[in-house]
Amino acid sequence: MELREIEIFLALAEELHFGRTADRLHVTPARVSQAIKKQERTIGAELFKRTSRSVQLTPVGAQLRDGLRAGYQQIQEALAAATAAGRGITGEFHVGYATAWCGDLVVAAADTFRTRHPDCLIHIYESPMLDPIAPLRDGSRDLQLVELPIDEPDIVKGPVLFSEPRALIVPAGHPLAERATVSLEDLAEAPLVTITGQPPYFLDLHYPHRTPKGRPIPRGPSTTAWQEVLALVGAGKGISPTSARAAQYYSRPDIVYVPFDDAPPVEYGLLWSTTGNIPKVRAFVQTVLETAAQTTTV
């Protein structure tokens, strides 16, 4: 299957409409139809169910889509990075990060990027906890490295770069502070200090309302500032989940970080706007991926 045929298949798998796919790829609907028929003959199975009213992926088509999508994205990123290197990247590029450990990776990647593209000025910022997507939407950031999940139609979700085990921040002297580990059921033992300004699905994952066994989790105060989370917990106003690595960066005498023994890890990934400067974004994404692979602390 040629690269153009892969592109046509993946576009149709997303659009589920021959006309929109043709418009998106600047080809005719007949070209799209011919490419799909050729692929189906090669594979020996239908990839799409077509009727006069709808286009749907078959199970075989869904399997092919899932198998091709990641590889195609890697090819596109490699081509974009090579093109950027050949043409040169100039101007300014604005990168945000959500946590100190994300900042470490961004700074290291920026150093490499400056060496490759000395005519591009990199600006690095700590992202706000209140609506971290807003800087991408208003154009003040080109790229963000943040906690996931983020699933928005106008935001491209890049690769997950790394994940971190979770811990629970508890007041020093709290019974949970004496434990070697805690479980998600322990969230029902004290008010939960939460963060506001994030998408609902993000909050539901990181600050659930019930434990896995269905016990209600009492709500404590909420804030939009990380340092205020630590202060509220330290003052005995509640407990709050976070990445275990936070203990290395935000140690305080009035709080204790206790690892979870059953919580899923916190994932961190790159985000950018669908309307952003794609050559610069892809070039920086490639640099971040290379830096992450070479960094032993991530």
Side-chain angles (χ1 to χ4, degrees):
M1 189 180 291
E2 297 179 358
L3 184 60
R4 185 57 166 172
E5 293 174 340
I6 293 174
E7 185 177 32
I8 290 173
F9 168 77
L10 290 175
L12 183 58
E14 182 177 332
E15 297 288 350
L16 296 177
H17 190 281
F18 281 81
R20 288 197 299 269
T21 300
D23 291 342
R24 173 172 161 179
L25 300 179
H26 306 292
V27 298
T28 64
R31 174 70 179 93
V32 176
S33 180
Q34 290 166 4
I36 298 302
K37 289 178 180 178
K38 179 182 176 182
Q39 293 166 17
E40 290 176 330
R41 287 195 301 269
T42 301
I43 292 170
E46 271 193 325
L47 300 176
F48 296 90
K49 286 287 187 184
R50 301 100 145 158
T51 70
S52 59
R53 303 179 66 179
S54 68
V55 177
Q56 298 293 330
L57 278 166
T58 66
V60 173
Q63 180 181 357
L64 182 62
R65 175 203 60 196
D66 295 342
L68 289 176
R69 190 158 46 189
Y72 177 75
Q73 182 174 348
Q74 289 180 340
I75 290 172
Q76 292 297 99
E77 289 172 353
L79 290 172
T83 301
R87 296 177 179 175
I89 295 292
T90 61
E92 297 185 355
F93 194 74
H94 301 264
V95 187
Y97 65 88
T99 66
W101 45 98
C102 290
D104 291 345
L105 178 56
V106 168
V107 169
D111 288 342
T112 301
F113 193 85
R114 290 187 187 100
T115 301
R116 295 176 178 176
H117 310 288
D119 295 328
C120 185
L121 181 62
I122 304 294
H123 301 276
I124 301 174
Y125 314 84
E126 184 173 3
S127 300
M129 298 184 75
L130 178 63
D131 195 1
I133 308 168
L136 294 174
R137 287 177 168 153
D138 65 22
S140 60
R141 303 288 185 276
D142 296 294
L143 190 73
Q144 297 261 59
L145 175 53
V146 300
E147 293 178 34
L148 301 176
I150 296 294
D151 187 10
E152 301 293 321
D154 58 335
I155 301 298
V156 179
K157 184 171 66 176
V160 174
L161 291 178
F162 60 96
S163 61
E164 293 288 330
R166 291 181 193 263
L168 187 64
I169 317 172
V170 302
H174 191 280
L176 292 176
E178 305 300 320
R179 302 260 296 272
T181 62
V182 293
S183 75
L184 292 171
E185 290 300 317
D186 292 318
L187 292 175
E189 300 301 321
L192 195 65
V193 176
T194 61
I195 291 172
T196 59
Q198 300 275 5
Y201 54 81
F202 181 99
L203 297 174
D204 289 343
L205 175 64
H206 294 286
Y207 303 98
H209 288 268
R210 292 188 176 275
T211 70
K213 293 184 178 179
R215 299 168 64 198
I217 299 173
R219 311 315 272 184
S222 61
T223 180
T224 60
W226 168 244
Q227 292 295 339
E228 190 171 341
V229 171
L230 303 181
L232 288 168
V233 174
K237 302 300 183 182
I239 59 180
S240 191
T242 187
S243 165
R245 198 190 288 212
Q248 302 173 25
Y249 291 82
Y250 305 105
S251 176
R252 291 172 53 123
D254 55 354
I255 62 174
V256 176
Y257 295 85
V258 187
F260 278 100
D261 57 18
D262 62 350
V266 183
E267 293 186 329
Y268 297 85
L270 294 166
L271 306 174
W272 61 91
S273 170
T274 56
T275 60
N277 188 315
I278 300 304
K280 285 184 184 180
V281 167
R282 292 195 183 281
F284 198 89
V285 167
Q286 184 63 31
T287 304
V288 174
L289 289 171
E290 294 170 5
T291 305
Q294 297 166 4
T295 303
T296 58
T297 58
V298 173

